[in-house]
């Protein structure tokens, strides 16, 4: 499992196996992911130490802000507007 423990990357939105991969038996049914981790199940795959390449393409997206973020920004803008109106000459 690969995990972004510090939450320093954008949310993972997709994982695919690259066409250059030639690891016998590895397919998409063995891969699962969440917004901050990727799990690959190698159980039952050949372990005869033959050379094989497992290459993955990972897609990232910008997380959508929580509704509370919009509420805070909106409250700040209203506050600035009221201050400007109050001190307007």
């Amino acid at each position: 499992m690969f995990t972004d423990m510090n939450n320093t990357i954008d949310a993972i939105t997709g994982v695919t196996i690259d066409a250059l991969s030639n690891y016998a038996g590895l397919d998409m049914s063995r891969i699962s992911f969440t917004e901050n981790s990727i799990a690959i199940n190698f159980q039952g795959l050949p372990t005869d130490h033959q050379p094989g390449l497992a290459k993955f393409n990972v897609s990232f997206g910008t997380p959508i802000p929580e509704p509370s973020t919009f509420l805070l920004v909106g409250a700040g803008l209203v506050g600035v507007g009221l201050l400007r109106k109050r001190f307007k000459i």
Side-chain angles (χ1 to χ4, degrees), residues 1-86:
M1 177 178 274
F2 306 96
T3 303
D4 177 21
M5 298 184 70
N6 297 322
N7 291 321
T8 55
I9 61 174
D10 289 340
I12 298 169
T13 59
V15 178
T16 59
I17 299 174
D18 192 276
L20 297 176
S21 295
N22 61 4
Y23 197 103
L26 182 64
D27 60 23
M28 286 302 297
S29 68
R30 296 180 170 274
I31 300 171
S32 61
F33 67 93
T34 64
E35 67 180 17
N36 65 350
S37 68
I38 301 170
I40 304 165
N41 180 3
F42 286 99
Q43 186 174 358
L45 291 178
T47 57
D48 54 5
H49 303 293
Q50 294 296 319
L53 173 68
K55 185 177 178 185
F56 304 96
N57 299 315
V58 180
S59 304
F60 299 95
T62 304
I64 299 171
E66 297 282 331
S68 60
T69 303
F70 289 119
L71 182 62
L72 286 172
V73 170
L77 291 173
V78 168
V80 168
L82 290 174
L83 283 174
R84 185 172 181 210
K85 183 177 180 180
R86 181 175 180 185

